[in-house]
DNA sequence: TAAGCTTTTGCAGGCGCTTTAAAAAAAACT
DNA sequence: AGTTTTTTTTAAAGCGCCTGCAAAAGCTTA
């Protein structure tokens, strides 16, 4: 393992000069820097990031925590984050929680132990912030995609206006002539779920009056869960004419179930999703599009700004930004027959 | 920032004892360890992973490099890796190369600078191994999903038998009665591409004699690329009756193009993909399934083993393991009409 | 009670790097 | 030439932690 000492010996300078050469310090002569850098290549010297992080008390790594990297919703955000921070010299450690709150806390602790400069995360629950704070994690955090309502002034967040988006989705279905509209969405009590359900209920109540509670179904954010709920719905015999799904993955499961049971979409039942993941267009799913790349980019920039301010011992006012979702009309919704 | 020194002061022991308590050393009394651990919770002490890595000359982090995290093929592998190594106390840093060879080299350098214990990667090209070796990276590497043929004895690999899989896919189409079968696949000269093309050609030549070279089309592994190639094919007016796609993503693009141009699958044209990503079942795409979870798991275990051996200064014989792909019949293939 | 063990704890050096203060070298003045 | 100023380099301390060795404390046994 070649260290700074080896490079010092090889060039004839001391480690102090070598270090400066690698840190673009103006305190080394250009000729010296050049010679050092050239020799570094030759002998294969790569600065030890651990030693650097130790003395600098900060790394150029940013932690990213998501619930499920196999849901295409997240990789786009992760990639957008990576693309945004890379030009600033940062890299990422990505963690997967599998929707398990303990894993989320452990991940945050691990990231903090690695002294990441900051954390970007899609929180699992309203307890997330206090969980990781109580675990001793002290590092700038920006939420993306979801947030913890109880700590809105402790950490910034970037997400869509879920209430309004769900309202809009439901309105669209109503405008098509549907009246019996079900909601199949997330079962955890989070900001996103509360607002999507809230928007749905609000729209329904405005147009249909009291809501039939059996139309509100909760499940996990997986295709299997959507499939199960739809199958149960079919077995119950009291089908709605349209469904608002909590996200596209759930919608996929719902569609597959209806398909397997001989129903045709949108002829027999309409469905609208959330997120607009890549494959929704292949399947022709009408959905509320989240600007995920933009969310990732904005969240990353906000975190970078927060980190810079923290280094300068200023505290940046936290921002809770709501973006607009956009209705993407495709082939999964039609007027009831 | 609470350090080991603070914890030492708080408990009345020295940092040596505190350190031992955290490393499950048998040299601390149980009562002492307990007291220290309890106090650690109270004052929020989390060991600095950088300092640890520095003195131990090794971290419990494993680097993962993939070409495109937004292709659902990869997240499953990444997750499988994470799930496999976590019980061993390791965590991961995931890098995205965007199919750019320089980015791949930079990623490897970054991971090495962070002193990862090892790297798992799906290499972009046959140059990958020498690229990163020449960049000074000296760390155990295991390839997964693809490999560099020129360095088969330097690093282990886990992938499917691509030649045989492509052969099998083509045979299936032939058995359905197709004769004019096109291949739309990866354009880089990599192990995977050579073998998939080789398997296709081999099967075609066996049954149809000389191959019409215009049937062999190369493109990038994206949906857009597949779409373009299919559109060009349609414009050319000389359509095949069936297509072997380099992967499912390309197949999606191809299908979408045919769909948009008024063709029906499989009535007008059959198509078979590669990988069996999640959404292939939704779309009814017949495909050659890669056991990605198993590949990730095996690769991770192999890397772990390699790391252990390296620590013991043994060199583990490299293994190049080929798994079998499995033909998953769905609705995108039929006999030509 | 003292000697001989065993168990537990402390001291100190060092991992690879950055950085402040001081020294040396080079350049710019009288 | 000598002196001052500026540029370049070095010496040394320390970031938070681990660990070999030495010291201290607890236990046994005679």
């Amino acid at each position: 393992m070649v260290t700074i000492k080896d490079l010092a010996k090889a060039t004839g300078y001391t480690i102090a000069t070598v270090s400066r050469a690698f840190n673009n310090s103006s305190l080394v002569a250009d000729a010296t820097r050049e010679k050092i850098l050239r020799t570094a290549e030759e002998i294969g010297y790569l600065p030890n990031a651990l030693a650097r992080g130790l003395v600098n008390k900060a790394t150029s790594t940013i932690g990213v925590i998501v619930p499920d990297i196999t849901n295409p919703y997240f990789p786009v955000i992760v990639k957008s984050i990576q693309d945004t921070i890379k030009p600033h010299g940062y890299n990422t450690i990505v963690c997967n929680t599998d929707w398990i709150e303990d894993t989320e806390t452990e991940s945050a602790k691990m990231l903090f132990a690695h002294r990441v400069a900051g954390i970007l995360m899609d929180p699992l629950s309203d307890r997330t912030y206090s969980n990781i704070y109580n675990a001793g994690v002290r590092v700038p955090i920006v939420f993306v995609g979801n947030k913890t309502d109880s700590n809105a002034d402790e950490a910034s967040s970037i997400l869509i206006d879920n209430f309004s988006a769900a309202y809009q989705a439901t309105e669209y279905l109503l405008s098509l002539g549907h009246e019996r509209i079900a909601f199949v969405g997330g079962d955890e009590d989070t900001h996103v779920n509360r607002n999507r359900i809230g928007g749905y209920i609000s729209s329904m109540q405005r147009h249909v009056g009291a809501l039939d509670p059996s139309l509100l179904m909760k499940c996990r954010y997986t295709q299997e869960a959507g499939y199960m709920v739809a199958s149960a719905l079919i077995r119950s015999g009291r089908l709605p004419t349209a469904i608002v799904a909590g996200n596209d993955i759930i919608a996929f499961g719902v569609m597959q179930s209806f398909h397997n049971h001989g129903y045709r979409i949108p002829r027999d039942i309409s469905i609208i999703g959330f997120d607009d993941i890549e494959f929704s267009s292949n399947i022709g799913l009408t959905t509320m599009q989240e600007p995920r790349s933009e969310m990732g980019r904005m969240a990353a920039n906000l975190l970078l700004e927060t980190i810079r301010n923290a280094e300068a011992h200023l505290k940046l006012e936290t921002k809770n930004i709501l973006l607009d979702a956009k209705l993407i009309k495709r082939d999964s919704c039609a007027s009831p027959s």
Side-chain angles (χ1 to χ4, degrees), chain A:
Chain A
M1 198 67 69
V2 21
T3 74
I4 197 172
K5 219 181 280 181
D6 301 316
L7 184 53
K9 206 167 297 173
T11 55
Y13 294 97
T14 57
I15 60 169
T17 306
V18 172
S19 170
R20 291 203 182 88
F22 267 85
N23 288 288
N24 291 318
S25 163
S26 58
L27 275 61
V28 261
D30 287 345
T32 308
R33 182 198 321 282
E34 229 170 275
K35 202 189 310 174
I36 289 175
L37 259 30
R38 190 149 20 83
T39 314
E41 288 251 330
E42 281 167 21
I43 67 174
Y45 169 71
L46 287 175
N48 184 322
L50 303 176
R52 272 192 161 173
L54 182 58
V55 25
N56 290 335
K57 291 165 164 299
T59 62
S60 52
T61 302
I62 281 178
V64 179
I65 306 178
V66 296
D68 180 11
I69 193 76
T70 66
N71 177 341
Y73 175 82
F74 294 108
V76 171
I77 293 181
V78 170
K79 182 165 151 39
S80 172
I81 290 169
Q82 290 179 332
D83 291 346
T84 306
I85 64 173
K86 196 176 170 184
H88 297 270
Y90 286 87
N91 46 271
T92 55
I93 299 184
V94 181
C95 300
N96 209 254
T97 65
D98 279 323
W99 301 103
I100 302 169
E101 218 170 309
D102 280 350
T103 308
E104 185 181 54
T105 308
E106 285 308 310
S107 299
K109 281 167 72 172
M110 183 275 281
L111 292 173
F112 179 67
H114 281 259
R115 296 301 184 266
V116 293
I119 294 180
L120 284 162
M121 68 190 299
D122 188 312
L124 287 185
S125 89
D126 280 330
R127 292 174 297 279
T128 290
Y129 186 86
S130 53
N131 279 349
I132 65 185
Y133 188 88
N134 293 336
V137 175
R138 295 289 181 280
V139 89
I141 295 176
V142 170
F143 292 118
V144 56
N146 203 343
K147 66 171 179 168
T148 59
D149 277 335
S150 40
N151 301 86
D153 43 347
E154 317 267 5
S156 294
S157 64
I158 306 273
L159 53 162
I160 59 162
D161 183 338
N162 286 284
F163 188 97
S164 148
Y167 188 92
Q168 202 182 331
T170 314
E171 291 284 308
Y172 173 60
L173 257 14
L174 287 162
S175 77
L176 250 28
H178 294 277
E179 289 188 338
R180 194 167 159 73
I181 304 171
F183 182 93
V184 182
D187 55 352
E188 295 282 351
D189 184 32
T190 69
H191 172 90
V192 163
N193 290 343
R194 278 194 299 276
N195 282 276
R196 288 193 184 167
I197 291 173
Y200 157 76
I201 291 179
S202 170
S203 168
M204 288 293 277
Q205 286 182 336
R206 200 161 95 83
H207 294 270
V208 198
L211 180 78
D212 175 354
S214 75
L215 288 175
L216 184 51
M217 283 159 291
K218 299 184 179 179
C219 67
R220 304 192 56 218
Y221 279 114
T222 67
Q223 204 169 143
E224 295 69 39
Y227 192 96
M228 303 289 270
V229 170
S231 301
L233 203 52
I234 292 168
R235 274 198 306 277
S236 81
R238 293 207 61 214
L239 284 182
T241 64
I243 292 179
V244 178
N247 74 355
D248 287 357
I249 296 280
I250 291 177
F252 289 177
V254 169
M255 289 170 87
Q256 201 158 35
S257 173
F258 277 107
H259 179 80
N260 289 354
H261 287 85
Y263 293 88
R264 292 271 297 279
I265 292 170
R267 198 196 60 188
D268 302 320
I269 190 158
S270 290
I271 181 158
I272 185 167
F274 255 93
D275 293 350
D276 191 31
I277 61 177
E278 289 78 355
F279 305 95
S280 299
S281 69
N282 291 294
I283 277 183
L285 175 66
T286 293
T287 188
M288 297 303 301
Q289 181 181 64
E290 286 195 41
R292 287 175 287 153
S293 284
E294 192 179 351
M295 285 161 60
R297 186 164 42 72
M298 290 180 72
N301 282 324
L302 196 46
L303 180 62
L304 255 25
E305 199 182 339
T306 310
I307 292 169
R308 276 193 295 270
N309 279 44
E311 280 167 354
H313 300 287
L314 309 166
K315 60 176 160 240
L316 182 67
E317 204 183 338
T318 61
K319 297 179 189 166
N320 288 285
I321 299 176
L322 291 186
L323 303 179
D324 282 326
K326 185 176 159 196
L327 173 62
I328 306 289
K329 295 182 188 174
R330 288 198 271 251
D331 316 318
S332 65
C333 296
S335 294
S337 47

